[in-house]
Amino acid sequence: MKMPEKIILRLLEDAVGKENVSDDESILIAYSRDQYWNFVPPKMPDYVVRPKNTEEVQAVMRIANRYRIPVIPMSSGVNVRGLCIPEQGGIVLELKRMNRIIEINKDAMTATVEPGVTMVEFVASARKLGLRPAVPGAPAVVSPVSNYMLRGVYHHISSIGIDHVLSMEIVLPNGELLYTGSAAFPNIGPYSRFGFGPDLTGLFMGQPGTMGVVTKLTCRMYPLPEAEEWLGAGFNDLSKAVKFVDELMTEKLLASCWLLHWSVPLITMAPSRDLQKLREDVLGGCEWFINLTFESSKGLIDYKRKAVEKIVQKYKPDLIGGPLPMEVGPIKNEWMYPRRIFNWFKFGNYFALAFWGPLTKFEEYHDLGLKFWKKHGLDPEKFSIIAAPTEPYCGKLSYIEMECFYDSTNRAEAESLTAFTSDMTNELIELGIYGWFRPYALAVKASLGKLKGNYVELWKKIHDIIDPNNTMNPGKLWPV
Amino acid sequence: MQGLRDLEKWRKFSYLCAHCRCCSAADYHTLGEYMQICPSGTYFGFESYFSSGKMEVIRGLIEGLISKPSEKLLEIVYVCTLCGACEKNCEEFTLLGEDSGGLTHIFEDARAFLVESGWGPLEKHKEFASSIRVNHNPYLEPHEKRESWTEKSSLRKGSLVYFTGCTSSYRQKEVAKATVKALEAMEEKFVIMGSEEWCCGSPLLRTGQIDQITELAEHNVKALKEIGAKKVITSCAGCYRTLKSEYPKILGAQPDFEVVHSSQFFAGALDKNKLKLTKDVDATVTYHDPCHLGRHMGVYDEPRNLLKKIPDLKLVEMPRSRQNSWCCGAGGGVKSAFPDFATSTAVERLREAEAIGVKKIVSMCPFCKHNLTDAAKLLKNKFEVYDVVELLSKAIG
């Protein structure tokens, strides 16, 4: 049913209040693009709508469903990979006004939050109770709801794994409510992932806003550690570095253990653009840097450090100890989570291709990435790659990211990166990966025809049952 | 479109903004909690009112994607107080922040673009620009009354000049009086410019109305030269920034005199024992950093040092202070064009003071005092608002 735009505007105003809806181009343009614009071209929505509560979200969804208007849910607005760009126009449903921390339950070790809550608010509130949530290596103003719903990588505490969601309240595309896990049961808290039957929480995760709008999310909480210490190790031999990290992960001694191409810690933590000098000064010229994070009681850390020392002795890193990148310059608190991401954009915009794979294939991923980097005429000095092995370390599970920082206004470089992404997407599937880190449009669309069995068809069928009018962020997963 | 060339230089920077949105929050590692720092974004909510969104609006203007001067567009561009809180989270750390020289410049150029293209400024801005042209002040007051705050006749020649500023001359006269009292206590010979003093031009620069600015700068510099100025003291943080930082750019030359803010001047005087504070001022106060003085000019310590030297006075800091300071809400032409928003922003500041148990808020800019006082009236005068120099003058006795 096609309705005149002004009538749609009035309906939306009735739903959330006139001051919370706009179709003015000077408002819309701020939602048309993120820093990934070279890969996901800008497109303005037709409306931006800012609901305050679940009931208002339901009202908007009913309007959108009835008049077949695309809806793109957006939480805190930090959107670096094009997932909230309204490719088909429609409504950007901006959820920042839904910003209540509904509960932090110290007894249950859980918290329930709305999508407009920022990670930094969440951390500050939890800290008062001696708790902390899983904090991603992302700007601190990100939404925990979006981050957890899409599953993240929690660099400094990868020992707590990648999935922290227990249950959710979801507004479905037709405006109806779904409660997952124990949230569906009356007279009890939303504290259990598993209520009855299949894992509906899991079904709705990893989706780029294509199955509904998460309006409340209950997640796990963790105790604040008594102490935190770091140790740095440098290697020139990548093979040895990978084996060193693998053994540390297998022994489960650390809160986290990243393996980083030398440029990454210096770009993201150090205060100067003179990277080669920093490489010499801070990393002793090493090619690879490993950051080992200890967390526990002080006594336990001492014990763990002794155990780690034995592994250090076995692998004999080219560099061990400080100065660590996070101790360089005036930005020591950059290492404190939630991070302010100082310096991330010191070299321009951020490009990344991220996926899950076994740590033991890291060298192959590196070699393949560098080969195609050069093939597309990209500067090999800018090619970076990291591994963040993560619990459960079954299958040597590791987050892998190929990345660089670049001037996005340099069209030639941007086009080369686009071609690289396209090639690498195919080549990585050929080489073997566990999956994409996030449902990025470029990677997901290229993968659809390559997955075995009924994976994609079933996913599409489930989507079509839940969103038969294809109003939820259309075009992000399947061609429209 | 006219003015596009000036805005075009920012195209690259609009692309470099990564939309990390770190500019929307105060430094939480320093504060230990999450606090918003962008007044317009916090109040209006839509992304366009935050810096990251405004960079997109600027891109839209450059690329012709914004095709008409809607009420919203003008509100977005002009409701920003240009406080610079966003750029402090960006300038040292990102390519955008480092190479652009600060987001505030970009937002000021966007206003100049709107003026040149005929889309701006707002009616209230035109009104004060017209008053500056006719009366040499933005308050629609007759120029002859500029000196009405003082009955004393001043020297007309001398090396030390008190540039009173429009707000202290017409709206916050007690700041001017207190400044003179402190200068007299030092037994300094100083000159008040009187009718030779014209508006510094700060309100015009902030609202993109740059056509008069050269004339104002030339007049004030010429007048100061004729007086024989070697050192010029300002009460107003806006005058200070404009005279010290912007006149040399406008005129293409460094004037022959030094410009100091009253906080710097009196802090120096106390250090050199040229000024004696003999009376107790039994009060607990908190200091509000004026944006033009703190973030824009880096003067954070001197006002605090003055307060710390006042006998019996206790200074308590609000969570958002120094470069994390929450703007009073008046700057950038906001007080005249968006008075409700300006007062609401000042109310937030008073509430912050209240949260630390302080009812006396002190600033070092008459325009901040003006707006905070309006907010205090709204809160039924539970709060007292002062300029640091007023407390200093009480301590002189």
Side-chain angles (χ1 to χ4, degrees):
Chain A
M1 190 186 301
K2 185 80 180 160
M3 287 291 277
E5 286 169 8
K6 286 295 163 195
I7 294 180
I8 298 291
L9 181 70
R10 208 162 302 135
L11 291 171
L12 293 169
E13 287 173 352
D14 286 346
V16 300
K18 194 172 179 189
E19 67 280 13
N20 296 309
V21 182
S22 184
D23 65 347
D24 190 292
E25 58 191 8
S26 57
I27 293 287
L28 304 180
I29 196 165
Y31 299 83
S32 68
R33 195 190 69 139
D34 65 13
Q35 67 106 41
Y36 226 48
W37 61 274
N38 273 311
F39 309 95
V40 181
K43 176 87 171 79
M44 283 205 209
D46 298 303
Y47 312 93
V48 177
V49 180
R50 307 179 70 236
K52 178 69 182 164
N53 53 43
T54 301
E55 291 72 27
E56 289 186 359
V57 173
Q58 288 180 280
V60 174
M61 298 294 268
R62 287 189 195 105
I63 296 164
N65 194 48
R66 180 172 171 81
Y67 300 109
R68 311 288 192 264
I69 305 166
V71 176
I72 299 88
M74 174 188 244
S75 51
S76 68
V78 179
N79 171 30
V80 295
R81 306 279 180 94
L83 290 180
C84 295
I85 302 308
E87 288 181 34
Q88 307 296 318
I91 298 167
V92 166
L93 191 69
E94 199 226 61
L95 301 163
K96 270 189 235 160
R97 293 177 69 223
M98 298 181 66
N99 57 0
R100 290 181 305 155
I101 296 173
I102 293 166
E103 180 194 46
I104 299 177
N105 190 320
K106 192 169 183 181
D107 289 336
M109 298 289 280
T110 68
T112 302
V113 293
E114 291 187 327
V117 170
T118 60
M119 190 57 79
V120 58
E121 289 170 276
F122 195 19
V123 169
S125 300
R127 192 184 292 141
K128 291 171 189 160
L129 299 170
L131 298 175
R132 68 171 170 182
V135 183
V141 288
V142 297
S143 159
V145 168
S146 294
N147 186 275
Y148 296 167
M149 212 271 290
L150 288 167
R151 290 187 291 264
V153 57
Y154 307 94
H155 304 87
H156 67 312
I157 42 171
S158 46
S159 55
I160 61 173
I162 61 172
D163 184 356
H164 308 282
V165 184
L166 293 167
S167 66
M168 299 192 276
E169 175 190 271
I170 300 164
V171 178
L172 296 171
N174 62 4
E176 290 175 358
L177 278 178
L178 173 73
Y179 299 98
T180 72
S182 69
F185 278 69
N187 311 318
I188 196 78
Y191 309 136
S192 170
R193 173 74 171 255
F194 307 106
F196 184 58
D199 176 14
L200 289 183
T201 306
L203 180 65
F204 279 80
M205 287 175 63
Q207 307 265 359
T210 43
M211 297 247 281
V213 181
V214 179
T215 45
K216 288 186 186 72
L217 181 143
T218 303
C219 62
R220 300 169 206 267
M221 296 297 280
Y222 304 90
L224 275 174
E226 184 187 311
E228 198 173 31
E229 290 180 17
W230 304 285
L231 182 64
F235 282 91
N236 285 307
D237 180 339
L238 178 56
S239 177
K240 218 161 103 174
V242 169
K243 289 188 180 103
F244 176 67
V245 172
D246 180 41
E247 187 157 339
L248 288 166
M249 286 301 294
T250 305
E251 293 297 325
K252 300 191 184 304
L253 294 164
L254 299 166
S256 80
C257 183
W258 312 8
L259 170 55
L260 307 161
H261 180 251
W262 68 270
S263 62
V264 179
L266 299 181
I267 286 174
T268 60
M269 284 176 257
S272 158
R273 287 191 201 172
D274 190 349
L275 293 181
Q276 289 295 349
K277 183 173 186 311
L278 283 167
R279 182 182 177 185
E280 290 304 320
D281 293 350
V282 181
L283 303 181
C286 287
E287 179 86 11
W288 299 96
F289 176 74
I290 298 160
N291 184 65
L292 292 72
T293 304
F294 298 86
E295 282 189 354
S296 309
S297 63
K298 188 72 183 76
L300 199 49
I301 287 180
D302 290 345
Y303 171 82
K304 286 178 178 179
R305 287 190 85 118
K306 281 178 191 157
V308 166
E309 182 57 30
K310 286 183 186 167
I311 299 171
V312 168
Q313 288 303 323
K314 181 175 168 185
Y315 289 92
K316 297 189 171 30
D318 300 303
L319 173 85
I320 192 78
L324 300 174
M326 53 281 216
E327 289 170 346
V328 178
I331 53 163
K332 286 182 184 173
N333 69 11
E334 168 55 1
W335 194 247
M336 291 164 65
Y337 279 75
R339 290 174 70 174
R340 295 189 70 196
I341 64 156
F342 282 160
N343 296 9
W344 271 34
F345 303 105
K346 207 176 192 67
F347 291 82
N349 295 71
Y350 170 49
F351 163 82
L353 182 61
F355 53 94
W356 299 104
L359 177 69
T360 39
K361 281 178 92 72
F362 185 70
E363 284 179 88
E364 290 177 79
Y365 296 139
H366 167 264
D367 293 347
L368 187 72
L370 192 54
K371 178 181 154 192
F372 278 85
W373 195 262
K374 289 176 184 166
K375 179 191 160 192
H376 290 290
L378 290 157
D379 179 359
E381 288 292 312
K382 282 192 178 179
F383 178 77
S384 298
I385 184 167
I386 69 166
T390 297
E391 288 294 333
Y393 192 55
C394 310
K396 315 273 184 200
L397 179 69
S398 184
Y399 169 84
I400 316 279
E401 178 177 301
M402 295 174 185
E403 65 176 41
C404 79
F405 293 84
Y406 75 111
D407 177 355
S408 68
T409 58
N410 179 340
R411 290 300 304 164
E413 192 175 16
E415 280 165 19
S416 295
L417 281 169
T418 308
F420 169 80
T421 305
S422 176
D423 266 3
M424 280 310 295
T425 302
N426 293 318
E427 292 293 330
L428 284 168
I429 292 174
E430 290 301 316
L431 178 60
I433 61 171
Y434 289 142
W436 300 112
F437 172 54
R438 292 267 169 88
Y440 308 127
L442 288 176
V444 170
K445 283 178 188 166
S447 308
L448 292 177
K450 296 178 186 281
L451 301 189
K452 291 192 293 183
N454 254 329
Y455 191 103
V456 174
E457 286 75 9
L458 183 64
W459 185 4
K460 179 79 168 65
K461 280 179 190 167
I462 292 168
H463 168 268
D464 290 348
I465 290 167
I466 293 168
D467 181 21
N469 296 324
N470 198 25
T471 57
M472 297 304 303
N473 208 356
K476 276 291 178 292
L477 288 179
W478 295 283
V480 177
Chain B
M1 190 177 274
Q2 281 185 356
L4 191 56
R5 201 180 47 203
D6 288 340
L7 205 56
E8 175 65 38
K9 68 179 180 228
W10 302 120
R11 181 197 291 261
K12 174 175 176 169
F13 296 99
S14 77
Y15 280 73
L16 285 174
C17 175
H19 297 205
C20 69
R21 303 195 82 259
C22 285
C23 58
S24 66
D27 175 4
Y28 32 84
H29 290 316
T30 307
L31 272 59
E33 59 183 314
Y34 170 70
M35 297 186 89
Q36 299 254 20
I37 202 154
C38 172
S40 61
T42 305
Y43 187 86
F44 291 93
F46 287 103
E47 180 65 10
S48 297
Y49 294 88
F50 290 95
S51 287
S52 44
K54 273 204 288 286
M55 293 304 290
E56 287 299 314
V57 171
I58 286 165
R59 181 180 67 89
L61 290 170
I62 294 167
E63 297 182 348
L65 300 169
I66 294 175
S67 55
K68 52 184 183 294
S70 69
E71 210 175 294
K72 277 273 175 237
L73 171 69
L74 294 172
E75 184 177 83
I76 289 162
V77 175
Y78 280 105
V79 85
C80 168
T81 59
L82 302 174
C83 71
C86 52
E87 74 185 17
K88 285 293 160 198
N89 280 325
C90 188
E91 67 180 358
E92 291 172 42
F93 312 112
T94 68
L95 197 55
L96 162 64
E98 273 192 340
D99 288 4
S100 70
L103 300 172
T104 308
H105 297 298
I106 302 177
F107 301 151
E108 286 178 1
D109 276 2
R111 293 174 179 197
F113 164 76
L114 290 187
V115 171
E116 284 187 47
S117 62
W119 290 4
L122 301 174
E123 281 308 313
K124 287 287 181 187
H125 299 153
K126 287 181 192 166
E127 211 171 83
F128 70 59
S130 168
S131 177
I132 290 171
R133 192 178 297 284
V134 176
N135 304 310
H136 310 312
N137 73 74
Y139 291 115
L140 314 180
E141 297 282 356
H143 184 55
E144 309 81 75
K145 288 192 175 176
R146 183 173 275 274
E147 239 177 329
S148 66
W149 58 273
T150 178
E151 289 170 2
K152 291 178 184 172
S153 58
S154 171
L155 293 172
R156 289 301 176 203
K157 294 275 181 195
S159 62
L160 181 64
V161 180
Y162 174 39
F163 190 94
T164 315
C166 302
T167 307
S168 299
S169 296
Y170 294 104
R171 292 288 180 271
Q172 297 294 325
K173 297 176 182 179
E174 57 282 4
V175 176
K177 288 175 187 170
T179 305
V180 165
K181 183 179 170 185
L183 286 168
E184 286 173 344
M186 289 172 63
E187 297 180 359
E188 285 278 2
K189 286 183 181 170
F190 63 95
V191 178
I192 297 165
M193 289 176 76
S195 60
E196 286 305 307
E197 181 184 301
W198 288 7
C199 172
C200 70
S202 179
L204 300 173
L205 282 169
R206 311 302 156 229
T207 52
Q209 304 180 94
I210 51 179
D211 58 332
Q212 279 192 69
I213 192 67
T214 307
E215 185 190 347
L216 292 175
E218 281 175 349
H219 167 83
N220 283 326
V221 169
K222 184 167 170 261
L224 285 162
K225 203 172 173 182
E226 282 171 6
I227 287 167
K230 291 290 173 213
K231 185 174 276 191
V232 178
I233 305 165
T234 75
S235 290
C236 177
C239 295
Y240 173 62
R241 176 185 163 191
T242 305
L243 264 63
K244 188 173 177 75
S245 169
E246 275 149 351
Y247 276 13
K249 291 178 212 157
I250 293 163
L251 301 173
Q254 194 71 39
D256 293 335
F257 49 81
E258 181 193 1
V259 181
V260 294
H261 187 256
S262 55
S263 59
Q264 298 169 313
F265 182 80
F266 292 121
L270 284 174
D271 285 345
K272 290 174 192 155
N273 283 324
K274 286 186 172 177
L275 185 63
K276 302 256 185 304
L277 304 181
T278 54
K279 297 269 170 68
D280 287 353
V281 180
D282 180 13
T284 300
V285 303
T286 188
Y287 177 69
H288 165 78
D289 288 278
C291 303
H292 281 319
L293 190 62
R295 279 188 285 255
H296 299 164
M297 297 300 288
V299 180
Y300 297 111
D301 290 329
E302 289 90 337
R304 290 175 168 80
N305 291 343
L306 284 178
L307 289 168
K308 285 173 191 166
K309 286 183 177 166
I310 294 175
D312 222 20
L313 186 123
K314 188 180 172 202
L315 172 65
V316 185
E317 294 282 358
M318 287 181 276
R320 286 176 291 191
S321 65
R322 294 178 176 265
Q323 71 175 39
N324 284 308
S325 186
W326 176 259
C327 173
C328 80
V334 169
K335 179 75 177 161
S336 58
F338 305 97
D340 291 346
F341 163 62
T343 313
S344 163
T345 305
V347 165
E348 159 87 9
R349 192 57 160 161
L350 296 181
R351 296 286 186 213
E352 190 174 351
E354 190 176 32
I356 56 163
V358 178
K359 297 286 176 63
K360 291 184 172 71
I361 187 160
V362 191
S363 191
M364 197 95 218
C365 171
F367 204 45
C368 292
K369 189 192 170 199
H370 185 40
N371 199 40
L372 290 165
T373 303
D374 284 352
K377 284 179 197 157
L378 203 70
L379 297 175
K380 305 206 186 306
N381 284 320
K382 265 198 313 187
F383 295 88
E384 293 170 36
V385 185
Y386 298 100
D387 191 278
V388 174
V389 175
E390 289 178 87
L391 299 183
L392 197 69
S393 105
K394 283 187 184 187
I396 291 165

